[in-house]
Each structure stands twice: as C-alpha cells, then as structure tokens.
Amino acid sequence: MKVEYNEEKKLFHLYNKHLSYVIGILRNGHLGHFYLGKRLYGPLSEDLFRRDQGRAAMPYVYEGDMGFSLNLERQEYPSYGTTDFRSPAIDIIQKKGSRIVDFKYDLHRIIQGKPPLEGLPSTRVSNTKDAMTLEIDLVDMVLDLKLTLCYTVFPDLPVVARSVRLENMGLETFNIDRIMSLSIDLFDDNWEWTQLSGDWARERYLRSVALRPGIQSIGSLRGASSAQHNPFVMLKRPETREESGEAIGISLVYSGNFLLQGEVNSDGVTRLISGINPEGFSWNLKSKEVFQTPEAIIAYSGNGIGPLSRTFHDLFHLYLIPEKWQKSPRPVLINNWEATYFNFNEEKILSLAKSAKSLGIELFVLDDGWFGSRNNDTQGLGDWFVNTKKLPGGIAGIAEKIESMGMKFGLWIEPEMVNKDTEFFKCHPDWLIGDPKRTYSHQRNQYVLDFSRKEVVDAIFDQLTKVLDDVPISYIKWDMNRNITEPFSSSLTAEKQGELFHRYILGVYNLYERLINRYPDILFESCASGGGRFDPGLLYYAPQTWTSDNTDAIERLKIQYGTSMVYPISSMGSHVSAVPNHQVLREAPLKIRGDVAYFGTFGYELDLTILSEEEMSEIRKQVEFFKEYRSLIHHGSFYRLLSPFENSGNETAWMVVSKDRSEAIVGWYQILANANRGLFKLKLTGLDSKKMYQISDHKEPISGSILMDFGILMNPAHTGLDLDNSYGGDYQSRIWTIKAV
Ligand code: GLA
C-alpha cells in the first residue's frame, strides 16, 4: 500500500497489490481522473492517460489554444461553469448570485493512517500502519475557499475511501447547494448499472439496466437511506459474472438523503457521483467554517461481482464496525415481537425466556411495548420509562430474572419518534419536525422529533440513560419506523432550513456515539421498519441490522441475496418465525426457515411456548448447529452460487468458506418441486482445488477440484411414488458442511 507523488509528471499514484488509482494535475490546476483498476506497474505519465483534443463545436479554456476543454477531460471533482456541461460535484451560490467556481491545486499531504471525519461515521483503522491517506488542497483564489479531497487506501483491499472538506477562509458567507463525496469519470460506458431497490418487506432486490446517454440515478429524499433504494450502486461489464469480469461498486457511508448518479456523455465517458442528495439541501457556510461530507467507498474487481462483494464485506468487517464486534460472537437471540406484539406481561416474557433458555438461545430481546402507555402504535413513543402494569419489577426486575436464567437481556427503542398521546409530547409539543402553520403528516401514528436540535437529542439521551445505567442490558435494537415529511425546523433560520435533513442525521449519529461511549459493551442492532436504513453509516455504530420485517424464508432468499451484494452476512439480522408466516401467510417447513436464517446473525421470533415437542427438538438442534458453525459463518468469505433473481428464480444457493479454505458450509434452496427431474448438480466456489474435503452427506472425501469443477451431484426430490423421500414437496433446502482432511 502506498501513495506516491511524482512532482515532475504531476501525478498521484495510490496503490496496493490489487489496485491502482491515478490522479493527474491538469494544466489548469484542476484534477484529472486517469485510472481506476488493476494494479499498474511501470512509469506513469499524463500522455498515457489523456491527450489534448481539438474538437469542433467545443468551448476551450485558453485563448488561442484549441486543445484543452474540461468537457473533454475525465476529472476528479468537476464544477459547472467553465467548459464542462455535465453535472458537477460542487455547486456554491455566492453573494452576487454567481455559481462559477475554479478550484486549483495548491498543496497535498500524504498521511500514514486515516484521520476521522468530524461528526460522521467512516472507515477507521486502529493501527496507523493499516491505511494511507492523501489529502489534496484545491483553492479558489477569488472566493477564498479551500476544498480538500481525501483519499485513503488500505493494505489488502481494492478500495479507495473518499471524502471532501470545504473551508471558508474568507469573509463572505456562501450557500453550498451541492457537495458530493465522490466523483469519478470512467473511460467508457460499456457497463450495466445495478442497484438494490425495493420497499418495506421486499428490500434490496437486484435491478440491472445497461447505461445509456444521459443521467440515471437513485437516491432518497425521505430523511433515511431507505428501503426503496440502498446507497450502493455497482457497474459491471455485460459479460461479468459472479467470479469473472470487471465490476466497480460505490457505497456511501451515510444514512440520510443521498444521491448516486451516473451520467454518460456523447463520447461515452461515464461520470459517477455520490453524496448528500442536493435536492432540498443547502448549507450556509460562514467565514472560517468547515463543511465535511460523508465518506464514499469505491471498490474495483477484475474477477467478478463475488470478489467485489467480498471486498465490501471485509472492509466493513475490518475497518467500519466497532472493533469489539469484529471478534466477539453475536448471540443467538429470541425476540418477542412476532410472538406477542404489544400484548405481554412479565409472566409471558419469563415463560418465553425459559423455553428459549432450554433450547440454548443466548439473548432475550424485549421488543416494542415495554414503556409508557404503549399498548398499541398510537401511544407511548417518547415516554422512555417502564410500564409497571406490564413489568411490575421494572426493566431492572425483568433483566435480572432473565440474566439469572443464564441468558443476556436486550431492549427495543425508537428514540427519534414521538406519539402525541405521551407525557413527552405534552411537555414538548414544539419539538416535532414540521411547519406549525401546516398539517403534520403521520406515519404509523407517530411524528419525528427534531434531532437537528441539541436539546432534543439531550432530552432523549437523559431518558435513555436513566433506563440503561443500572440495568444489565447487553443489546439494543434501535428502530425508526417512519420517514420525514414537512421538513421544517422551528429552530433553524430561513437560510439554514436546507440544512435540516443533514443536521437530523448528524443528531442521530451523535446519540449513537454518546450511547456507545457510555455503554461500550452493548451490542446495537439498527432497524427501520425492517431494512429501511440498512447502510454503512449505521454499521459504524451498530454492527448488525434487522434485514427486513419480512421473515418468510422464501421471501428472505431474495432479500438476503440482494443484501449480500455489499453487506456482510454477519450484519444481517435473520430470524426463524412462525407459520403461517405473518407477512405472506406461507407455511414453509421449520428446516428451510432455519437453513435460510443460518446465513445471518440468527435468532428466533415466534412463540416458543406453544410449539410441539418435535418442533422444540428440531429448534434445539438448529441452535446447536448454528453455534458450531457461527464463527465460520461470520468470519468466512461469502460466495453466491445460484441467484433467486435469475432463470426462474426457483433455486438459490450460497456458501461460506473459511479464510484458510479448510472449512465451508453450503446452503441450497428450492421453492417449488419439479416433476420427474433428472440428476442435477451444484458447483461450489472458493475451495482449494488441490485439497481433499469431507462433505457431510458423502462417505469418501472429494477433491476441491471435483466440488468446484463438476459439483455436488444431487438426487432430484421425488414428487411421485416414493412418498418416504424426505426431500419431496415444495420449499426444500439442504445444508452441507465441508472440512478439509
Ligand atoms: C418495526 C420493526 C419490527 C418491530 C416493530 C415494533 O416494524 O421492524 O421488527 O420491532 O417495529 O413496533
């Protein structure tokens, strides 16, 4: 890993053994983007990557010089107004109304390690040897503004982490209308744009389209990263597959309104930009103030989308989530939500906990309904004190009883929200986001607290610490069940209203930061009506996220497969729930429910006290099995084998291989049975072709090369005469464990 600057050639080369990223200082002082891809060797110079072009019908920067137009340059951080007509990375409105900017190279620094981003989550290293950062200062002399572009490289991963700081060194006040975290101009447009889109209960479905001239984008204006579009996009070549071909991914480490945009120009150059959504955003930057953008990660793979995903998985696991949770095992949990909803008392909770304990479950999570007068979703949010009618001994009482059974205890909270029917709202009716002269829309009968205000965050922090200070709590599920409407803050002046959404998310990050500092051993799981805020911004604080409210095993195949494009399976909350399933009323066997949930953080969310002996004994075995393979599942490398988004979508398969390739676990799933199917096989990936492996349903060891190049031979499920065949019928699944011998 290194960052080199060649003074004579005016070139920066950031590289490690997998990747090169080359930036040049163009003749007008702007930065040119020269290369992102496989590691380059040998001398580098500008003429290898760009040439002057004298083209007709083109504006040029210098009088008498028909060779240099920004419209023809591939750039690092473009602006609008001087010969480039494409979408800019930055837009600053000045006192006289002008938006012309001209940021030119001034200085740079190469730093060992990675400085944190003020107030924002970002990738981090505990040892400065694990990263190198390049900071390039660009200055607009007319405006007295300094723009610092930051780039970090890590030793073993083909990624660059980018962010931007803008400092107002002069006396004038500016309005920043747009300030992207990342912009990059790729040489061509022969790419397919792949996004993760959906909605509540069907989050992160894979969608791909070929790039076309003009702009294509995804984003959010909801105040959260959203279930509709995840802040991730991948470009892949048409011929790219799981384990072959080029792919580029961008992931934004941010949980609020975002934009990810691709623009193809008439030469086929593709500009990707990513950052805070400029729609509705503006930031008032006074003299001496600094604005910090979120971080965006760009990753490259020359060997398929599988390695691209594994790069993000490793990056998030090693350099984003809290260090403690990189190694500590994630507990198998029981959550009472789908078992009881709001309708529980201490006796019910304790009987659920007792059954869970007898099955080997390690953590009891008390979900919504334990506080204030929360008996349905019209009440309670904001009153973060225990409802003693339900829990007479308080949270301390129930937590201690569960701890004394030998299980850990966890709690659900939704700190950003309020119901009107609460003491909290009566005391602070003016703390909502909204315009007092207009209607306040609701969602699930709740309103959004104005987290852009420090006093609001402080008040919630004080209430929560009163609950958490004296109670043995090991886990918190932090939920967020609605998006922001009527975006207006009574505490912001007119010129600062455009700051609300960003200030809101900074308030959320601030509360997370304060709670984590105070309770460093609590495991946080983020949630937003399921996976409505599943993003790297929150993974920085909460290493796991409730993937979806949809707990049906069949539906989860697409959701977990799509999510795995960028997020590690150790971050995906996945529970076995009851049948008929509460979201789709499907009756999938307990086996497939477990087999799907294993590939996540694993837990249960159903009433264990009403299950049959047979079901209890199957669950006991599932818990035992998961504990045995937990470390492999959470620390291994994830390989996708069959996609639920391709062919008929009837089969899905994936596997996890230990980093040393000595162990693996494979999951195969089939939705509907096939009549009279012939023999078929499942090709594995990621093993060592030269090693011999013992595979769970085979007597003799099989070589890695046979498992990968021929595959596991499978008997079709019988649908006819052989009624004893345990693999018959719909909703089939198989799990293989594999060990090198
Ligand atoms: C959201 C969450 C669920 C559950 C409920 C409680 O919908 O996604 O898991 O916690 O809220 O109200």
Side-chain angles (χ1 to χ4, degrees):
M1 162 192 68
K2 205 153 184 192
V3 178
E4 280 174 356
Y5 177 59
N6 185 324
E7 173 71 51
E8 188 202 335
K9 308 267 185 203
K10 305 243 172 298
L11 276 184
F12 295 98
H13 186 191
L14 297 86
Y15 62 85
N16 60 25
K17 60 177 182 282
H18 304 291
L19 171 101
S20 280
Y21 192 107
V22 184
I23 303 166
I25 302 174
L26 300 175
R27 96 165 92 123
N28 69 338
H30 291 202
L31 297 183
H33 174 72
F34 288 174
Y35 179 82
L36 160 73
K38 238 170 115 172
R39 165 74 191 272
L40 296 178
Y41 296 90
L44 305 177
S45 59
E46 181 179 310
D47 66 317
L48 298 172
F49 301 105
R50 75 161 289 283
R51 298 280 161 84
D52 276 11
Q53 300 177 65
R55 303 266 295 267
M58 191 63 63
Y60 293 98
V61 173
Y62 300 110
E63 247 178 79
D65 174 343
M66 300 267 283
F68 188 76
S69 171
L70 288 171
N71 212 34
L72 299 172
E73 295 302 326
R74 283 173 286 123
Q75 297 168 66
E76 275 297 307
Y77 206 74
S79 52
Y80 177 84
T82 307
T83 69
D84 187 354
F85 300 111
R86 292 165 287 180
S87 270
I90 188 160
D91 210 346
I92 295 169
I93 312 296
Q94 300 140 45
K95 206 162 67 198
K96 290 192 176 158
S98 168
R99 53 203 288 177
I100 304 165
V101 294
D102 189 14
F103 286 103
K104 291 183 190 298
Y105 172 81
D106 182 33
L107 288 170
H108 74 265
R109 294 166 293 285
I110 295 170
I111 302 163
Q112 188 71 48
K114 183 171 191 291
L117 270 52
E118 177 82 35
L120 282 163
S122 61
T123 50
R124 50 185 152 190
V125 289
S126 46
N127 188 335
T128 53
K129 283 203 202 92
D130 287 341
M132 279 192 94
T133 300
L134 166 67
E135 294 195 345
I136 308 177
D137 293 339
L138 306 169
V139 171
D140 185 314
M141 302 289 267
V142 175
L143 304 180
D144 235 349
L145 285 172
K146 181 164 83 185
L147 188 68
T148 304
L149 307 189
C150 306
Y151 301 81
T152 298
V153 277
F154 302 87
D156 289 321
L157 297 170
V159 301
V160 178
R162 289 184 54 178
S163 64
V164 173
R165 265 191 327 265
L166 182 67
E167 184 182 343
N168 185 352
M169 302 184 300
L171 299 174
E172 190 184 327
T173 297
F174 297 97
N175 267 326
I176 311 171
D177 260 22
R178 159 190 297 243
I179 181 159
M180 289 293 125
S181 302
L182 168 152
S183 176
I184 191 167
D185 289 347
L186 305 177
F187 198 85
D188 66 84
D189 62 351
N190 185 27
W191 300 99
E192 283 172 6
W193 164 283
T194 301
Q195 62 193 53
L196 302 174
S197 294
D199 207 319
W200 175 78
R202 51 180 170 83
E203 297 92 340
R204 291 171 299 285
Y205 277 24
L206 272 175
R207 308 273 163 166
S208 288
V209 287
L211 282 179
R212 55 171 174 75
I215 287 177
Q216 38 257 286
S217 71
I218 52 164
S220 167
L221 294 174
R222 295 167 171 265
S225 48
S226 91
Q228 284 67 23
H229 301 295
N230 198 262
F232 168 75
V233 80
M234 172 172 64
L235 295 189
K236 61 184 168 68
R237 299 293 185 189
E239 67 278 9
T240 294
R241 298 287 173 266
E242 268 302 308
E243 305 298 331
S244 66
E246 274 194 306
I248 290 172
I250 295 181
S251 167
L252 187 66
V253 187
Y254 191 55
S255 314
N257 288 355
F258 75 92
L259 176 71
L260 267 158
Q261 180 176 295
E263 179 173 6
V264 177
N265 77 1
S266 49
D267 283 344
V269 171
T270 301
R271 171 167 297 172
L272 295 175
I273 59 176
S274 171
I276 295 175
N277 200 326
E279 184 76 41
F281 168 85
S282 78
W283 193 275
N284 201 247
L285 193 73
K286 300 208 164 47
S287 171
K288 308 298 170 234
E289 285 181 350
V290 175
F291 184 83
Q292 170 69 61
T293 72
E295 177 169 279
I297 312 287
I298 186 158
Y300 172 81
S301 163
N303 306 308
I305 60 178
L308 190 81
S309 298
R310 291 189 287 279
T311 294
F312 281 109
H313 299 172
D314 289 346
L315 181 83
F316 293 165
H317 191 76
L318 294 172
Y319 301 123
L320 185 70
I321 66 167
E323 203 180 347
K324 173 178 169 60
W325 298 107
Q326 287 172 16
K327 293 190 194 84
S328 310
R330 310 291 174 76
V332 178
L333 65 83
I334 170 81
N335 178 304
N336 73 309
W337 179 242
E338 287 197 13
T340 66
Y341 294 103
F342 296 108
N343 186 18
F344 60 83
N345 55 24
E346 183 171 294
E347 198 188 334
K348 179 72 199 172
I349 295 301
L350 291 177
S351 71
L352 250 180
K354 204 168 147 216
S355 306
K357 174 66 193 166
S358 76
L359 298 172
I361 293 174
E362 298 159 317
L363 166 72
F364 187 95
V365 178
L366 182 57
D367 209 277
D368 197 354
W370 59 267
F371 49 90
S373 54
R374 182 85 166 162
N375 294 314
N376 56 54
D377 63 20
T378 64
Q379 304 164 309
L381 294 174
D383 287 347
W384 298 108
F385 44 82
V386 71
N387 178 342
T388 45
K389 283 197 193 119
K390 287 183 181 173
L391 304 170
I395 288 298
I398 190 91
E400 274 152 23
K401 282 183 187 150
I402 286 176
E403 283 257 327
S404 69
M405 288 179 190
M407 257 197 297
K408 298 282 177 207
F409 180 74
L411 211 53
W412 178 97
I413 57 172
E414 195 178 356
E416 299 153 70
M417 300 293 156
V418 71
N419 289 118
K420 287 195 175 167
D421 187 8
T422 53
E423 288 179 26
F424 190 82
F425 179 75
K426 280 180 201 115
C427 294
H428 306 292
D430 55 338
W431 278 7
L432 307 190
I433 288 184
D435 181 346
K437 294 212 176 73
R438 297 180 187 276
T439 313
Y440 287 61
S441 312
H442 77 98
Q443 189 174 323
R444 209 190 186 204
N445 304 300
Q446 64 194 55
Y447 300 85
V448 186
L449 288 172
D450 187 351
F451 262 43
S452 74
R453 297 167 69 164
K454 185 170 180 313
E455 66 275 25
V456 178
V457 177
D458 287 349
I460 296 294
F461 177 75
D462 288 346
Q463 278 206 70
L464 292 176
T465 51
K466 282 199 187 91
V467 181
L468 302 175
D469 269 356
D470 309 316
V471 179
I473 287 189
S474 306
Y475 163 105
I476 285 184
K477 176 177 172 189
W478 175 325
D479 210 339
M480 193 283 294
N481 280 307
R482 70 159 286 183
N483 293 137
I484 295 174
T485 54
E486 293 83 35
F488 181 83
S489 170
S490 305
S491 75
L492 292 173
T493 54
E495 71 275 13
K496 285 185 159 289
Q497 284 298 332
E499 300 177 10
L500 172 61
F501 278 112
H502 185 55
R503 286 190 182 276
Y504 176 87
I505 216 71
L506 292 178
V508 170
Y509 291 149
N510 177 269
L511 184 58
Y512 258 114
E513 189 79 43
R514 286 156 75 179
L515 290 174
I516 284 171
N517 286 340
R518 194 167 174 120
Y519 313 107
D521 292 331
I522 291 185
L523 169 63
F524 281 81
E525 176 156 342
S526 75
C527 175
S529 300
R533 211 165 55 177
F534 199 141
D535 58 60
L538 287 188
L539 285 182
Y540 176 87
Y541 307 99
Q544 52 196 61
T545 303
W546 181 224
T547 311
S548 177
D549 275 349
N550 192 339
T551 55
D552 173 64
I554 304 307
E555 296 278 305
R556 275 298 188 112
L557 292 171
K558 278 189 173 159
I559 297 171
Q560 293 178 201
Y561 189 97
T563 305
S564 81
M565 283 296 140
V566 59
Y567 302 106
I569 56 174
S570 60
S571 68
M572 291 184 214
S574 54
H575 301 168
V576 173
S577 63
V579 287
N581 170 268
H582 293 194
Q583 292 77 38
V584 292
L585 301 180
R586 183 177 282 123
E587 302 217 24
L590 186 49
K591 172 161 169 53
I592 194 169
R593 283 179 274 153
D595 288 354
V596 174
Y598 290 147
F599 293 84
T601 57
F602 199 63
Y604 289 82
E605 187 156 341
L606 74 174
D607 191 349
L608 298 169
T609 63
I610 55 170
L611 298 183
S612 67
E613 258 316 304
E614 204 184 336
E615 287 169 313
M616 291 291 270
S617 117
E618 194 172 342
I619 290 182
R620 195 169 291 117
K621 284 190 198 129
Q622 287 180 339
V623 173
E624 237 167 66
F625 178 84
F626 180 76
K627 285 181 182 166
E628 189 179 342
Y629 290 96
R630 166 166 49 193
S631 165
L632 166 64
I633 291 172
H634 290 168
H635 297 117
S637 299
F638 187 70
Y639 292 83
R640 290 176 294 258
L641 305 176
L642 292 174
S643 168
F645 297 99
E646 282 171 19
N647 303 318
S648 64
N650 200 38
E651 281 175 74
T652 300
W654 48 46
M655 66 188 286
V656 177
V657 183
S658 63
K659 296 283 181 204
D660 66 359
R661 293 168 194 254
S662 68
E663 259 194 291
I665 175 166
V666 184
W668 171 87
Y669 313 89
Q670 177 178 275
I671 302 175
L672 296 179
N674 298 295
N676 196 18
R677 187 180 189 183
L679 284 178
F680 61 107
K681 61 193 177 85
L682 177 65
K683 276 172 121 177
L684 306 188
T685 324
L687 300 172
D688 182 337
S689 56
K690 296 199 184 74
K691 280 196 170 118
M692 294 298 292
Y693 292 95
Q694 187 61 56
I695 167 164
S696 48
D697 71 353
H698 206 266
K699 280 196 202 91
E700 300 299 322
I702 309 177
S703 70
S705 90
I706 292 176
L707 289 169
M708 293 194 292
D709 295 325
F710 179 77
I712 304 179
L713 191 61
M714 290 165 76
N715 288 334
H718 280 207
T719 50
L721 300 176
D722 181 5
L723 295 179
D724 285 340
N725 188 322
S726 57
Y727 289 129
D730 296 338
Y731 315 135
Q732 291 302 309
S733 61
R734 297 184 203 177
I735 296 285
W736 292 272
T737 56
I738 295 178
K739 236 191 170 91
V741 287

